Amino acid sequence: MEIFLTFLGTIAGMLAALFSWLGFDLSRKLAERSRPCIGESSWSSERDCYFVTLKIFPGHYFVQTKSIEVPGAELSYVRKTDFGKLHSGEFRSILPYTVSVPVKADIVEIDFCMRPKISAPITIKVNLAKDEKPLEYIVFADPNDAGTN
């Protein structure tokens, strides 16, 4: 009888460990899906740079952006005028850009200027506060071919 109960306890412990691991894996996948994401981008080509607008769709929890970076490019702030868009400030490899992305809110837009004009694929990385995993957006179509990707 002791052997049977030992065997039964071992099987029950293995099943508990399996279900615990499955629950952890499911919660990790749900947390990843609840993050905000960059869903669209708009590109307009001016002289020697691109004016980029990223649309961040909110997730199930509040985040705040910290900076934007594009490998191989320099970024600058954008100022909107009556005549269009102008870049404002110095060009930097990492652009400090703080925007709040609240829960269940409207789409948040981020505008910046990028130079030089590089060809696709372009990876845009939006770093988040609190050392959270950054949002990455990859543009596969060449921005020179179309106005919107």
Side-chain angles (χ1 to χ4, degrees):
M1 187 65 159
E2 286 181 30
I3 294 174
F4 176 72
L5 292 176
T6 302
F7 176 74
L8 190 62
T10 303
I11 298 297
M14 289 174 24
L15 286 173
L18 174 68
F19 288 125
S20 174
W21 180 79
L22 289 174
F24 171 75
D25 191 46
L26 180 64
S27 68
R28 183 181 53 82
K29 288 178 182 176
L30 288 174
E32 183 66 29
R33 289 186 185 135
S34 67
R35 288 171 38 93
C37 66
I38 301 172
E40 296 178 24
S41 66
S42 302
W43 297 73
S44 62
S45 181
E46 300 286 334
R47 296 178 209 91
D48 63 340
C49 62
Y50 289 123
F51 287 101
V52 183
T53 301
L54 296 180
K55 293 184 179 181
I56 299 178
F57 294 85
H60 293 288
Y61 60 93
F62 174 84
V63 295
Q64 192 167 15
T65 65
K66 183 168 55 173
S67 63
I68 304 170
E69 57 186 295
V70 178
E74 293 181 317
L75 310 175
S76 176
Y77 295 103
V78 169
R79 187 179 72 218
K80 295 179 182 178
T81 66
D82 295 337
F83 307 106
K85 295 179 180 179
L86 298 173
H87 67 83
S88 173
E90 298 177 12
F91 280 91
R92 306 169 182 201
S93 59
I94 298 176
L95 183 68
Y97 206 118
T98 304
V99 174
S100 297
V101 183
V103 180
K104 297 180 183 177
D106 289 335
I107 297 169
V108 176
E109 292 187 354
I110 295 177
D111 293 319
F112 60 93
C113 183
M114 180 179 87
R115 75 171 186 198
K117 293 182 176 180
I118 55 179
S119 58
I122 301 169
T123 302
I124 301 171
K125 186 172 153 184
V126 178
N127 298 312
L128 300 177
K130 296 183 183 177
D131 296 325
E132 291 190 43
K133 183 179 171 186
L135 302 176
E136 290 191 359
Y137 183 72
I138 301 173
V139 179
F140 292 104
D142 197 350
N144 291 318
D145 297 339
T148 302
N149 290 320

